[in-house]
Amino acid sequence: MLRFFDLERIDAKKRDVVERNKDFEEIYEVFKPVKGSEQSERCIQCGDPYCHNGCPLHNLIPHWLKATANNDLEFAFDLSNETSPFPEVMGRICPHDRLCEGACTLNDGHGAITIGSVETFVNEEGFKKGLKPKFSQNKIGKKVAIIGAGPAGLSAATFLLREGVDVEIFDKQNRAGGLLTYGIPGFKLDKHVVARRVKLLEEAGAVFHQNVEIGRDKTFDELSKDFDAVFVGVGAVAGRKSGLTGEDASNAYVAMEFLVDIQKKLFDEPREKNIEVKEKSVVVIGGGDTAMDCVRTSLREKAKSVKCLYRRDAHNMPGSRKEYINAKEEGVDFEFYVSPKSLVTNDKGEVIAVEMVKTKLGEADSSGRQRVEEIPGSEYRVEADVVIFALGFDNVNYPFFASNGIETDKWGGVLVDENYQTTQPGIYAGGDCHRGADLVVTAARDGRDAAKAMVKMLSK
Amino acid sequence: MRDLFTSFKDNCGFGLLASIDNTPSHRNLEDAITSLSRMMHRGAVAADGKTGDGSGLLLSIPKKFFAKSAKKENITLPDVYAVAMVFSKNEKDFDVIKEVCENNDLKCIYTREVPVNQDALGEQALASLPTIKQVFVAPNSIMGAKRFDALVYLSRKEIEAKIPEDRNFYIPSFSTSVVSYKGLVMPTHIKEFYQDLRNKSFEISFCLFHQRFSTNTLPEWRLAQPFRAIAHNGEINSVTANRFNVAAKMEALKSDVFSDEEMKRLVPIIQSQMSDSASLDNFFEFLRINGMDFFKAARSILPAPWQNAPHMDAKLRAFYEYASTCFEPWDGPAAVSMTDGRYIGCVLDRNGLRPSKYIITTDNRLLISSEYGVLETPEDEILERGRLQSGEMMGVDLKYGKVLKNSDINDYLKNMDPYDKWLNDNMIYLQEHMDDPFSDVSIPEKTEMEARQRYFNITLEVIEQVFEPMVKEGKEATASMGDDSPLAAFSTKQRNFTDFFKQKFAQVTNPPIDPIREKVVMSLNTGFGEIRNILTDDAEHAKRLKTVSPILSLEKLELLKAFGNEKDPKYESGYKARTYETTFGSDLRMSLATLIEEIISDVKNEGIRTVILDDRALNAKTKVMPMLMVVGRLNQALLEAGERHLVSIIAATGEVYDSHMAACMLGFGVAGIYPHMLYQTVAMIEHRKDKDVNLAPILKKVRKSINAGLLKIMSKMGIATVSSYRNSKLFDVIGLSEEIVTECFSGAYGLLSGLGYEDIEERITKAHSDAYATETQNRIFPLNIGGFYKYLSGQEFHDYSPATVHAIHKLSKSGKKEDFAHLKELVDGRDKKFIRDFFALKSDKEAISVDKVEPLSEIFKRFSTAAMSLGSISPEAHECLAEAMNTIGGKSNSGEGGEDEVRFGTIKNSKIKQIASGRFGVTPEYLVSAEELQIKVAQGAKPGEGGQLPGHKVSPLIARLRHTMPGVTLISPPPHHDIYSIEDLAQLIFDLKQINPKAKIAVKLVSTAGVGTIAAGVAKAYADKIIISGADGGTGAAPIGSIKFAGNPWELGLIEAHNALKANNLRGQVEVETDGGLKTGLDVVKAAIFGAESYAFGTGALTVVGCKILRICHLNRCSVGIATQEEKLREHYEGTVERVINYFTLLAEDVREILASLGYSSLEEIIGKNDLLEVIDDAFAKKFSFENLLYKLDGDNTCQVESNEPYDKNEYEQEILAELMPAIKNPNDPIVLEKKISNLNRSFGTRISGEIAKYYGDKGLPEGTICLKLKGTTGQSLGAFLSPGVSIQVNGAGNDYIGKGMSGGRIIITSQKSGADFSLGGNTCLYGATGGKLYINGQVGERFGVRNSGAIAIVEGTGDHPCEYMTGGAVVILGKTGVNFGAGMTGGVAFVYDVEHEFVENINQELVEARRIDTEDTDIERYYLKKLLKDYYNETKSAQAKKILDNFRVEIRNFWVVRPKDMKGPLKIEEGE
């Protein structure tokens, strides 16, 4: 260990930009074993493991790094699966530079440990070697219904099954995975990776009911009657609107509409919108990870040009830095310090341009972040055939909440106590539907901790 | 705790004087008194200038004088009589004496009032002065002399038993051969006080004498020495164990002298409430009176180290091994003089830790004393001048007028009985009965095993941090940055029962041992089987099952069972074994009582002799009792039942998997440990890696690590053998209820009485249900992760969590109050994690405005950074802290390891300079550049241990500052080799006050029960400041076990020290400082209220400059450029002076605000004012008894004096300095002075050197500027810290510590009586010297050239451990050396002249090798040696040197050159080797 002194941080290798733009395959290659263990050896094994502390799942990062460095793959695999429901997914899509790697003590000039890439490596290599996460062989004779097969739901299912609780999952989409399947493009997360986890859960006894929407195809009452507990993990997928004039134009979309639609196209599933960007000028408004997903998807869908507009600068972008860099490499045109004023439509109600205004950073607000101020008289126009708003997500207010005594806060988030129990006893919730749009990793934690609370309650 | 405020430890000057042919004379008495008074500096004097800590004489009975004085009363004394010397304040006591004597067939002839002159006493002594009378007693009927002696002894014991409570009643002596004259009087006044001693007819033929230095100021008449048979200088570290063992042995006693009924009347043998020396005296006297041979008794309880001495005579070794079946060493530094009237003698402890020097004079007298020159005997009257070497004894047979040297005594002992045959026939070595050790560990099935691992708290962390280093390196892991987790009692997480126990360690009054470099004295040799009658000798006694370590393999455990199994052919009834499961369902208290009852009954009724306590029956349904609790309780119960001597206790336990846990078991009485979870876990891990792994070598390595750890823990307390450590109970028990401590751990110190059986049971129940919970079985990784050593989210609390570290970084960068507020939230709001958290502030005053509070500058004065050396931290960090502290008016601490002289006198100069055991870089200039000189006796991270700076960290800069060569590993020994006792510390303080009279001398101690006693002693040794360091602090690299389990939180030590100083009326003499995890204003204010005037910051200060608590300081890979010397990493250092100032400003502001809220305007007003605190109102807090922390004594709460002035003003040297001033002012005017000197003139040359260094630094004066020709025997520390340009030529002899820290100049000692047969110097010469030359035309004592890093020295013979830890310089020895040559020697060179070809056996081969120098390759060495010898001859005219030089071509063949193995190639003299 402590090889940080003589070994540089090396990120996982990326596919050539020309090649990777042609398809939706993952752009990162998985570490080769030598690299994986070498990069792990850089770890200090420090007394205050900041990575572990910075990880919402409190993954045992130093411990599996050490195991990896020691070439003890099985041990590393076990440790990484102990706390995380799908480490190979998190290794790919977590904003590591904001969490574990950002907190890594070496991230102050030495170069943080490539925690994400090692995590992916450990699990991919483990799967290759036939390793599998373990589930309880002894059933405790209780069953839980899970609404939503997204990150929170899958995580809850994982940890319930590990404790010998039966689970059935009800999900309105055609395939399980929620956001992991439909929201995150394949170049970041190969869809087989998600499918593999779903299969593992099925092998462990999980029953997936796809294309079932609660309140439409099945009543909530049935669930509460048939199951010992219910976990609600329905996410927050309502795309946030801009409130600009013209935003209802026919070729203006919110990010999730766009991403899901394209993914369904790739799956060859029926689509709602049939969005096509081929040979079109695409403008994406926003600077987060979802915005990056949109621009990069557009490129792969062969858009004529792809522009990303953001009201602050690259440094202030809320998403993961590496996603920005990837997008830039792939040919996205970024414009910073600009803000949309309105959409310009033609007589068919189609967007033809976005009216923009330049901005600057003003005084800091109470959180220390500088406010954005518009610069008067700096308006200009950006031509656009398609406009995509990636401005965040809101909660969906499902009718079954209110009718079953599941209370929500003013933003529509489901209220839960410290055990993830909603205001309705026996009904638990977690993930975005509780906390509002957040990271996959926090949803995974909610699912895990809610599962543990449910087990405790069920085994009383 | 309150008893600790007034408890004491003592050390001293001592000796004996005897007419070898037993001729009485008054001169003997006068000379003894003179000798004693010339060692006054080894004792202490009270403020009244008259009351000493006690001195005394044990004299042969002055028959002539007693006859004369009896005659005055018209009484004729019979030929045979005994005299009782009696201290009493109650006339009725004498009735008791009379009654008891008469009952014992003795008659009291008459009682004589001993005339005393009260004017000779100080106020304090006078206040407690008893009536002193002598009772003369004779046999009432015809009886033999032996029987008379026995009845006298029996009577004394009975009298004592009848007047047990009265502390004023005491019988200093009651004997037919000796009488004691002792008391609270200074040696100079003893003759004035006891008028008898002035009478010319008071003639004696021999005497023991003693001058006491007690750590407290509440000396008592009865505690003065000599006792009834001995005078002891030193400390018995194992005394708790020895006392326990004596009580156990009593049960088997049959005496030829006393009937069984009489024997019952004799107990207890050990008088309670007395000192360690008194206990030793009690036991020795008991053995003698029961007819045990004088020398056999002495060597049985104070044996030479025989276990690892292959070159010792086999028959002598057999004697010692035989003796070890009955006796364990009374272990610790000891020079003991003893007499029984027929013989008189002196014995030195196995490690030679006290000085003991003798002369035999032409008038046929032997004088042994701590120092040479106490009698100023003219040279031509000295026949022999020598000293006792480690583990040696010498004596006089007074009857036949013969001196018995060590070898005479050994020859006598080894031939007393056929010990070797007895051993051959009866002693069984387990090893011989084993074919295949460690072939089996029988691991339970996986699920059960995993549950057990969880139950016994074997976490992933334990495996990684504790087990892995054992498996990989065969040793305990090193960590750093201290312990920031709560006490076991306060923890809300699963903790081990042994966590409640904190190891004791030696500081000041006794030295720790270096178990690696001085391994030769250490031993884990263990025996099983009953202890037989110690008063008789026969082959039966040799019946023991033996092994070399108490840590057993499964095979050895099974063997013990086999020897104890009636159905086994090996069976012997003396080993009859039974296994007891320690499981319980519920009700821990009852279950424990029942189990103990069962065992006791089996021992009594069924003859069980090997009790095996086994917790392997643990399962999902049954819990097990804490093994340590069972062991402790059983040990006590067996003693109470009178069965302890019969039984060996074995623990087959999962609760032992590190050395601390093993030490706890041994300390409370087990003989053997089978650590099943350790072996099984290691086996499981190794099996997973490789199914066919051969476990034996791995498990042996694991056992070796535990063994090494045990040796380290024992040596921390200065104990060398496990037999003396067993039952020693050397732990503080923190947070267990008084009930548990009394019932199970009596003898250990209980602090913060708290959790009872029910609480412990509740914790066990929870741990058990968690361990076996179904949830855990479904984990992918089944073990718990840990969090005890390193922070893990949701696990054990750590005060330096990532959030706290971030908060400190942020506030130090911003300097903003709101950022500091965040830190306060985290720290002040942590809720009941540390002792101070259980106290809330309350005030008797209205809050005042902050403007009314003293300014920041006043508060800054009280802040300093804790010692962190340049070496442990980078120059950038070191200088940054110095500059910042100087800027605000605080102080930075250099740490040990020197400081670049370009920093002296600038803003980067550390105001505090540290003096630690390695003495690295301690030069005159370094010492004079300081405002405060801090003697580090112990450090929080690893009290009682030394340290090591690995060669790869020794950069050219560090090497230059430490006066060594780059790349050479530097070892700091565990003890200061010039502080083995309190009078030694007084001497070092005296040295430092001479070199730099302006500096305050501070002594750094670590919190532990008893630190108050030490603190009082340190104050009496004239320190100006005492630092009570918390074991919870400590930034340095240390073994993890030491970080976690040695020493106590600072709160406990501070309150104890503060109150002990007050109780002894010493608080006003010294300043008190504390450190240990202080972070916020509240911490500082609470520390003030508990009694500290100043505050030091270690880890906190490092965090301010960017430390992230990575805990890798020891690896040189600190990523933030602090604890590293790597250039590349140092570039990452981002600390700034401003950040440090920001932090301390915010901290001081916080202090001011709290003061304002309390209504006080300065810290001074609240120091020691502990009514400003109250225990928080909280259910958990109520479990503990905190009142001792709120205990308040009247008196000063802060230091009231500018300086704690030594009694000795050193006028002698002051006057000489005045004469030398012209030469110092103008070095072109050299000066030669001739003076007389005596052993009272200590540290000669040091004051002069300090003055020179002040003006000229370490460059000093040109050679030959000052020449001082002295005649006589010098005091200790001759030429300490000597500056270049000063030459001291002594015609006479020197004492201990010659040339200590010398930096240049010359010291030459010659004498009329010189050469290899005469000792002209004492122990520990050249300790830490960096330059200069020392020539002694004679022998010197132990540890010559210890830690020398530059001086050139030539002597004609040395004691044991020569050239220990040497890192540079050259030593030539033209005669014999003792054992353990070159231990820890990493640099420098030694030439040893060895005609007898014995030398090679004496080398410690670990690091050095000896080569011949008569080859072509060693050309340089040869001529270098010749050059040295020529110079030596010119200065000393040594006959030996001349002989060698005259025949150099031949004699060169008799020389060895000794160098570290790492040093290859020819000697590099120019490069400083």
Side-chain angles (χ1 to χ4, degrees), chain A residues 2 4-7 44-50 52-53 58 60 62-63 66-67 70 72 74-75 77-79 81-82 103-110 132-138 162-164 452 455 459, chain B residues 460-461 464-465 468 472 484 688-689 774-782 785 789-794 798 800-803 805-806 809 1107-1112 1115-1120 1126 1128-1129 1132 1134:
Chain A
L2 292 153
F4 76 95
F5 186 72
D6 58 337
L7 271 183
I44 281 187
Q45 299 279 299
C46 55
D48 265 6
Y50 295 88
H52 157 89
N53 204 48
H58 293 310
L60 306 172
H63 304 87
K66 188 175 169 192
N70 290 341
D72 193 341
E74 187 185 351
F75 193 30
F77 181 90
D78 285 356
L79 285 173
N81 278 280
E82 176 61 45
C104 173
T105 194
L106 292 172
N107 192 35
D108 59 357
H110 300 281
K132 279 183 180 180
K134 298 168 191 77
F135 294 95
S136 174
Q137 302 304 311
N138 305 318
R162 212 185 271 180
E163 303 292 340
K452 292 192 170 179
V455 170
S459 42
Chain B
L460 175 60
E461 185 186 40
E464 288 190 344
Q465 302 296 316
E468 254 177 37
K472 278 195 185 143
D484 57 351
R688 200 179 74 79
K689 286 190 214 154
T774 43
E775 175 263 325
T776 57
Q777 290 159 18
N778 296 320
R779 292 188 198 165
I780 295 176
F781 182 73
I785 303 301
Y789 296 100
K790 294 179 178 181
Y791 172 88
L792 274 180
S793 172
H798 286 266
Y800 281 104
S801 68
V805 172
H806 283 315
H809 285 174
C1107 167
K1108 293 180 178 172
I1109 319 291
L1110 306 181
R1111 298 187 192 274
I1112 54 163
L1115 299 173
N1116 205 19
R1117 286 285 178 269
C1118 177
S1119 73
V1120 291
E1126 286 289 350
K1128 194 168 134 188
L1129 294 173
H1132 289 268
E1134 55 160 40

Side-chain angles (χ1 to χ4, degrees), chain A residues 242-260:
Chain A
S242 63
L244 301 177
T245 28
E247 70 169 348
D248 295 328
S250 65
N251 44 0
Y253 307 101
V254 290
M256 204 43 72
E257 283 174 346
F258 171 69
L259 292 172
V260 170

Side-chain angles (χ1 to χ4, degrees), chain B residues 1216-1433:
Chain B
I1216 294 178
L1217 176 63
E1219 289 184 58
L1220 296 175
M1221 271 325 278
I1224 294 175
K1225 283 183 182 155
N1226 181 10
N1228 294 326
D1229 250 348
I1231 184 167
V1232 179
L1233 290 183
E1234 289 190 23
K1235 298 281 170 187
K1236 281 191 77 173
I1237 194 162
S1238 82
N1239 76 311
L1240 300 179
N1241 307 126
R1242 300 175 295 143
S1243 315
F1244 182 78
T1246 309
R1247 186 68 279 279
I1248 296 164
S1249 298
E1251 206 57 29
I1252 295 172
K1254 204 160 88 184
Y1255 302 109
Y1256 302 100
D1258 282 342
K1259 275 201 299 294
L1261 298 171
E1263 191 165 0
T1265 308
I1266 293 174
C1267 179
L1268 299 156
K1269 297 190 171 181
L1270 308 170
K1271 199 165 171 54
T1273 303
T1274 73
Q1276 300 174 82
S1277 298
L1278 172 70
F1281 309 113
L1282 196 67
S1283 281
V1286 184
S1287 166
I1288 299 177
Q1289 297 174 12
V1290 179
N1291 184 355
N1295 266 298
D1296 294 342
Y1297 320 135
I1298 298 166
K1300 166 200 289 194
M1302 79 188 282
S1303 130
R1306 283 181 173 228
I1307 303 173
I1308 292 146
I1309 302 179
T1310 57
S1311 165
Q1312 206 175 313
K1313 296 282 177 68
S1314 61
D1317 295 336
F1318 290 87
S1319 281
L1320 296 184
N1323 297 331
T1324 317
C1325 298
L1326 287 181
Y1327 184 21
T1330 56
K1333 288 195 169 76
L1334 170 64
Y1335 295 157
I1336 300 179
N1337 186 14
Q1339 270 186 48
V1340 290
E1342 322 298 296
R1343 298 184 175 81
F1344 183 75
V1346 53
R1347 254 293 299 123
N1348 175 24
S1349 54
I1352 292 168
I1354 305 182
V1355 297
E1356 309 215 340
T1358 74
D1360 294 336
H1361 316 290
C1363 302
E1364 196 171 12
Y1365 313 106
M1366 201 160 105
T1367 60
V1371 169
V1372 182
I1373 300 163
L1374 302 179
K1376 292 194 177 179
T1377 73
V1379 297
N1380 206 28
F1381 189 102
M1385 173 175 168
T1386 56
V1389 59
F1391 296 94
V1392 181
Y1393 183 66
D1394 173 35
V1395 185
E1396 313 275 345
H1397 298 280
E1398 287 171 338
F1399 173 65
V1400 174
E1401 299 277 21
N1402 288 341
I1403 302 175
N1404 180 319
Q1405 314 267 4
E1406 190 198 351
L1407 299 174
V1408 296
E1409 62 187 355
R1411 283 182 296 131
R1412 291 290 185 186
I1413 48 176
D1414 50 352
T1415 65
E1416 288 182 355
D1417 286 347
T1418 49
D1419 196 41
I1420 294 173
E1421 284 84 344
R1422 206 179 330 169
Y1423 292 105
Y1424 179 61
L1425 173 63
K1426 194 167 180 184
K1427 198 178 100 192
L1428 293 179
L1429 286 176
K1430 278 184 180 164
D1431 191 44
Y1432 173 68
Y1433 175 72

